[in-house]
Amino acid sequence: MPGCWAPAVHQCDLARLGRGASGGETPARAAEAEALQALTVAVHRVRHEAAGTRLEGASFSPASFFHERVGTPFSLRTPDGQSRRQARRLLCSFQRCFVCGEMGAAITCGEKGCDRSFHLPCASRGECVTQYFGLYRSFCWEHRPEQALKAKPGQNSTCIVCLGPVEDKKSYHTMACPACQQAWFHRSCIQKQAIHAGVCFCCLHCRNQDRFVMEMLAMGIRISKRQPSWESGQALGPVYQRHRRCNASKCLCPGGREQAEEEGPWQVLLCSSCAAKGTHRRCLYSSNSAITWECDCCAGLGTGKRQSTRGPLCCYGQCPS
C-alpha cells in the first residue's frame, strides 16, 4: 500500500548465488547451490575451529572438504563468472596462512596434494617462492624450486650487490649466477637490483642475461619490464645540466655569480678537465681573450690542457702578478 512502511528485506548472498538473479531453478543452478551449501558448511566449520571449538575429524582442510563434498572444483561447476569470483573470495577468506596463522591467505602451493596457503607479504618470511611469469605458480618452503649449483661460496664470499657476507652454502636467502657460478648475492639484494635494472637486468659479474634472467624468474625474483631507473629523465636531469655559476674567489660580475651570458666578459668558462667548476672571463683576467681555464684541483693534478691566449694561467686569476 502506498505510504506504508515496509521492512527492508536482506537476502543471503549464498542463497542469491544459488537461486540466481531470476530466482529460477535449473540443473546448473541446483549444482551451484549444492556447491555453495558445501562451501557454507566449510566456512562455519573453520570459524568454529578458529574460536577453539573443534568439530568432528582429526584433520580438516577447506579445499579437500569442499572437493569431497561437491566432487569437482567449484570453479568448474559454476557457469556464472561473477559467482565464481565471489565464491573464490569467500574460499580465500577462511584459508589460514601457515606462516602468520591469520585468515585470508589467497595463495596456495602449486604442488599437487599440498594445501599450504600463505599471504603474499608472508612469502619471504616463510621462504616461499612466487613465480611472476607463465602460470604465476607459487610454492611453499618444502616444494619450492632450488638452484642446481655445483660451486659453493667460499669462506669470505660477499654479496656482489651490497658487499656484505653471504652464507657458506646455497639457501633460500643466498643465491648465485647459474652461468658463471662465481657471483653470489642475497635474495633481497638481487630483487632490488631486478626492479631498478628492468630490461637491462643481468649478472653483475659475467654480464650473462638470458640464462641468468630465466633462472631468477624460476627462483621467484620479480623483474621489471621498464627501462633502468638510472636512465629516467628525473635521474639524469642534473647530469644534462651545464654548470653556469662563477666559482672565482672574488666574483666581479654586478649580477652576481649566477649570471651567465653566451659571450662577452660575463661568459662562464668551464674547467677544461672536469667541467664541474666555472668562472667569468672578467673574473679570471683583466682582458676577455681567455680560451680555456683549469680549476684549482685539476691544475694541481696536471690533468688538463693549460691553454690561453695571453696572461698567466693561475686559478681564477686572483693571485698577484
Side-chain angles (χ1 to χ4, degrees):
M1 179 180 294
C4 295
W5 175 84
V9 179
H10 299 280
Q11 186 181 23
C12 175
D13 290 337
L14 295 177
R16 177 178 56 81
L17 288 175
R19 288 193 295 269
S22 61
E25 193 72 22
T26 62
R29 291 293 181 186
E32 185 177 350
E34 181 185 358
L36 287 168
Q37 184 181 5
L39 185 59
T40 308
V41 174
V43 171
H44 286 293
R45 188 167 189 173
V46 172
R47 285 178 178 174
H48 277 289
E49 292 186 358
T53 306
R54 179 170 293 277
L55 302 182
E56 297 178 358
S59 60
F60 174 74
S61 168
S64 61
F65 174 81
F66 184 81
H67 179 75
E68 292 173 2
R69 177 62 187 267
V70 183
T72 55
F74 175 76
S75 60
L76 300 179
R77 297 185 63 121
T78 53
D80 187 4
Q82 184 69 16
S83 301
R84 271 185 245 151
R85 288 191 293 271
Q86 294 186 15
R88 176 61 181 169
R89 286 196 295 268
L90 183 61
L91 179 63
C92 294
S93 66
F94 66 84
Q95 290 184 155
R96 186 184 299 275
C97 176
F98 81 95
V99 181
C100 67
E102 299 294 333
M103 296 298 216
I107 305 176
T108 305
C109 179
E111 183 70 18
K112 186 177 181 180
C114 181
D115 58 356
R116 290 192 182 97
S117 300
F118 53 91
H119 303 110
L120 183 60
C122 298
S124 178
R125 186 154 57 97
E127 298 187 354
C128 306
V129 165
T130 299
Q131 298 177 339
Y132 295 91
F133 72 100
L135 299 178
Y136 289 82
R137 299 182 300 173
S138 300
F139 301 93
C140 66
W141 62 270
E142 184 179 2
H143 303 111
R144 68 171 185 260
E146 297 184 0
Q147 287 190 285
L149 301 174
K150 297 181 180 179
K152 294 183 179 180
Q155 185 177 2
N156 299 322
S157 296
T158 58
C159 174
I160 197 173
V161 180
C162 71
L163 302 181
V166 297
E167 301 178 48
D168 57 355
K169 61 179 180 179
K170 67 173 183 178
S171 64
Y172 176 81
H173 298 285
T174 300
M175 308 171 65
C177 172
C180 63
Q181 299 192 18
Q182 296 182 10
W184 294 88
F185 38 80
H186 301 118
R187 175 179 287 268
S188 58
C189 293
I190 204 64
Q191 178 60 82
K192 295 177 182 178
Q193 177 69 16
I195 295 298
H196 285 288
V199 295
C200 295
F201 183 55
C202 63
C203 175
L204 298 176
H205 183 267
C206 65
R207 314 303 296 177
N208 180 275
Q209 188 172 36
D210 295 337
R211 187 177 175 185
F212 181 78
V213 168
M214 292 304 300
E215 179 86 354
M216 293 300 104
L217 286 172
M219 293 299 109
I221 300 300
R222 183 180 180 182
I223 303 175
S224 174
K225 297 182 180 179
R226 62 186 181 187
Q227 293 296 321
S229 59
W230 55 81
E231 292 186 2
S232 62
Q234 183 178 2
L236 292 180
V239 178
Y240 293 141
Q241 293 180 1
R242 185 179 185 271
H243 186 81
R244 299 178 62 84
R245 188 177 188 275
C246 178
N247 298 109
S249 58
K250 183 179 179 180
C251 181
L252 305 177
C253 181
R257 295 180 181 274
E258 304 297 333
Q259 181 176 347
E261 299 178 356
E262 296 297 330
E263 56 184 11
W266 308 124
Q267 178 185 2
V268 174
L269 294 177
L270 299 182
C271 173
S272 58
S273 296
C274 66
K277 292 184 178 181
T279 181
H280 292 119
R281 288 181 181 270
R282 179 61 60 85
C283 299
L284 181 59
Y285 299 111
S286 58
S287 62
N288 303 330
S289 58
I291 297 178
T292 61
W293 166 77
E294 197 173 26
C295 71
D296 215 349
C297 297
C298 296
L301 296 175
T303 57
K305 296 180 179 179
R306 311 183 58 156
Q307 298 177 0
S308 67
T309 54
R310 77 177 61 167
L313 192 60
C314 56
C315 297
Y316 309 127
Q318 300 301 319
C319 60
S321 56

